[in-house]
């Protein structure tokens, strides 16, 4: 073992943790850097498929892989949950009270569904943000004979912000294929005074929704649910009844992050927006959905952040100067229905342009789980 | 403005849309009727979004004030 070998501890085995570990392995040798990943998931699910699985547009069998199989050679995957972070002493401690020292710590713990914030959610709503929920919703949609569907999100932020409109467009397509679109009202609710966070994309999406007869309710911040009466109430005083409610659950950062004093009650870690380090610690970083950065919570975000961090850490370990910064890069391909999609590229300072839909973009989206598992997650691209 | 003392101040400077508005809504949900909530922001979109939300939600916009390098939106929770 090299005398100056450094240990990088990555907490989290989701998209961010896995891409980070695999990219760092490509950028360094095991003699230079030991990479230890902590996590405890059995399988790694490709979440973007959730907008297609409920309609039977995609086979869920290809949407997940065993987590352990996804780490490149030369990475230690330790199946354990970290419970304590001691940044002063550069250690983390797992649930079995084993403590591990690190030279660099990368927190990639993601976020969680905080349904406790919205009483009645579990009885009232369906969603498509996990494989299990998508499968349950698939059955509900198969049984659906027509009526009123209300679709939206309980709050901001959520993972993959375009997913609610992607789902809505495909719901429209699915109901047409099923021959019950004329018997169904689709009502789309959104917390802001538009239908998506970014204004110019919102204008584009709103036009498509209007063309397809989707009823839009802007500034609808979900206040409460009435599962028995099948009603959803907004803070702004609006009430909608429904036959089927599809509502992305409220999201929060992980409790363990708040419990360790790394974030406020939101659970999202404040990091430097260009260098991703936590407070004044130059060896502690957070990436992916775990941060409070004002960008999309998406695998593509973690992908770009990992590229920056892998370069930075491998250069530092080898004594090289590294002057690059993460500039908020995100890219995502989102389905707009009718077997078409749009691809958005943006950063902190460059808003995306939504000009046209294409079948090529849809093909890109349709094959993205294969690309994800074989190349993106592996750190190859 | 000087005579209105905020019950809660949210410093959302540096946060992009919709961050400041969502912070304001969060404070609204946690507050009580009569509370005065102030949000500091550097995001120009918030200057349009927040007053629209305050109006739609039936609350009172006390004012939008230019400060040095940021602006302040002040509302009163009316219901």
């Amino acid at each position: 073992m090299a005398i100056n070998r450094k240990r990088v501890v990555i907490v989290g085995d989701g998209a961010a943790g896995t891409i980070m570990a695999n990219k760092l392995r490509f950028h360094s040798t095991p003699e230079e850097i030991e990479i230890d990943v902590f996590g405890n998931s059995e399988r790694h699910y490709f979440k973007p498929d959730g907008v297609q699985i409920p309609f039977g547009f995609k086979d869920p069998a290809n949407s997940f892989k065993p987590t352990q199989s996804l780490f490149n050679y030369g990475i230690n995957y330790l199946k354990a949950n970290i419970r304590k972070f001691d940044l002063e002493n550069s250690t983390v401690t797992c649930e079995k009270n084993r403590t591990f020292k690190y030279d660099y710590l990368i927190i990639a713990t993601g976020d969680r569904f905080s349904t406790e914030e919205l009483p009645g959610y579990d009885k009232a709503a369906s969603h498509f943000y996990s494989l299990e929920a998508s499968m349950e919703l698939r059955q509900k949609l198969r049984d659906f004979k027509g009526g009123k569907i209300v679709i939206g999100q309980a709050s901001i932020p959520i993972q993959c912000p375009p997913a609610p409109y992607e789902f809505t467009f495909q719901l429209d397509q699915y109901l047409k294929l099923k021959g019950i679109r004329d018997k169904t009202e689709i009502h789309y609710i959104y917390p802001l005074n538009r239908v998506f966070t970014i204004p110019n994309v919102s204008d584009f999406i709103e036009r498509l929704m209007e063309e397809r007869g989707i009823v839009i309710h802007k500034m609808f911040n979900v206040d409460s649910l009435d599962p028995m009466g099948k009603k959803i109430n907004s803070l702004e005083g609006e009430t909608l009844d429904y036959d089927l409610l599809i509502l992305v659950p409220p999201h929060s950062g992980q409790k363990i992050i708040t419990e360790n004093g790394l974030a406020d009650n939101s659970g999202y870690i404040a990091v430097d927006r260009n260098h991703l380090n936590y407070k004044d610690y130059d060896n502690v970083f957070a990436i992916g959905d775990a941060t409070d950065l004002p960008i999309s919570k998406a695998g593509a975000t973690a992908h770009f952040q990992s590229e920056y961090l892998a370069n930075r850490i491998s250069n530092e370990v080898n004594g090289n100067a590294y002057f690059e910064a993460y500039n908020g890069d995100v890219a995502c391909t989102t389905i707009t229905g009718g077997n078409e999609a749009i691809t958005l590229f943006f950063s902190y300072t460059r808003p995306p342009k939504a000009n046209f839909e294409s079948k090529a973009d849809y093909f890109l989206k349709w094959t993205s789980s294969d690309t994800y598992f074989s190349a993106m997650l592996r750190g190859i691209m | 403005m000087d005579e209105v003392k905020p019950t809660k101040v949210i410093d959302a400077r540096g946060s992009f849309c919709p961050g400041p508005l969502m912070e304001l809504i969060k404070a609204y949900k946690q507050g009580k009727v009569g509370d005065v909530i102030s949000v500091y922001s550097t995001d120009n979109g918030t200057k349009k979004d927040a007053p629209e939300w305050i109006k739609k939600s039936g609350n009172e916009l006390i004012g939008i004030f230019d400060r040095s390098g940021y602006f302040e939106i002040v509302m009163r929770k009316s219901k």
Side-chain angles (χ1 to χ4, degrees), chain A residues 117 154-157 191-194 197 217-223 235-238 264 266 273 294 348, chain B residues 14-19 21-23 25-26 28-29 45 48-54 56-59 79:
Chain A
E117 292 175 22
S155 63
I156 290 177
L192 306 178
N193 57 349
R194 45 191 176 269
T197 48
H217 302 263
K218 298 177 188 175
M219 283 200 185
F220 193 109
N221 284 277
V222 180
D223 183 44
L235 271 181
E236 294 79 11
E238 198 174 347
D264 60 16
S266 74
R273 53 189 275 158
Y348 289 136
Chain B
S15 174
F16 287 88
C17 172
L21 175 59
M22 300 322 289
E23 288 290 320
I25 293 173
K26 190 163 85 176
Y28 166 82
K29 286 167 86 170
K48 177 172 177 285
D49 290 352
E52 283 185 16
W53 178 80
I54 292 165
K56 169 137 190 194
S57 59
N59 291 288
K79 63 174 194 177

Side-chain angles (χ1 to χ4, degrees), chain A residues 322-344:
Chain A
Y322 188 70
F323 300 110
E324 299 295 321
Y326 172 67
N327 62 5
D329 279 335
V330 183
C332 59
T333 300
T334 68
I335 298 170
T336 49
N339 296 341
E340 297 203 320
I342 52 174
T343 298
L344 307 170

